[in-house]
Amino acid sequence: MRFYLISDNVDTLMGMRFAGIEGVVVHESAEVEQALNTVLKSDDVGMILVTEKLMREFGEHFDQIRQTMSQPLIVEIPDRHGAVNGKDRITKYVRDAIGVKI
């Protein structure tokens, strides 16, 4: 299984390419849809990495896949500017999900 990146900027794509992760840069809804269709045709992609900005703007495309397919896993990642939700995002997620402050 391999990773695939769908990004909104070239810098994030280039950084991931250094790690051996292929991907594409998209800016419009039709481009996101085309990138997803291409990735979903590939049997060896196990995880799709998506930048936070794309997830905010075009989340409905990714949510549809999350709801209908068990694979690939879709993971939201920060871009080169850092996390939009701040560094305590995981802690907040756990606190909201189970009500335990860690």
Side-chain angles (χ1 to χ4, degrees):
M1 291 291 192
R2 64 185 177 99
F3 292 87
Y4 191 84
L5 172 70
I6 301 177
S7 177
D8 63 302
N9 66 66
V10 176
D11 294 332
T12 302
L13 177 63
M14 294 306 295
M16 290 297 183
R17 281 190 179 165
F18 286 130
I21 298 172
E22 297 176 33
V24 65
V25 175
V26 297
H27 299 287
E28 308 213 2
S29 181
E31 294 173 323
V32 171
E33 197 171 321
Q34 181 181 8
L36 284 170
N37 288 336
T38 301
V39 172
L40 294 175
K41 289 178 186 174
S42 178
D43 293 338
D44 64 339
V45 174
M47 187 177 295
I48 300 173
L49 305 174
V50 182
T51 55
E52 288 177 333
K53 182 179 177 184
L54 282 180
M55 193 64 80
R56 276 193 327 268
E57 292 179 10
F58 307 110
E60 67 276 358
H61 295 294
F62 303 105
D63 290 340
Q64 182 180 18
I65 292 169
R66 284 178 171 162
Q67 293 171 0
T68 60
M69 302 178 72
S70 61
Q71 279 191 338
L73 180 64
I74 298 176
V75 178
E76 183 177 348
I77 63 167
D79 64 10
R80 67 184 175 99
H81 300 292
V84 173
N85 298 326
K87 59 185 175 183
D88 294 329
R89 178 174 155 202
I90 301 288
T91 304
K92 182 182 180 315
Y93 179 73
V94 170
R95 185 177 60 239
D96 292 346
I98 60 174
V100 175
K101 185 176 180 179
I102 55 173

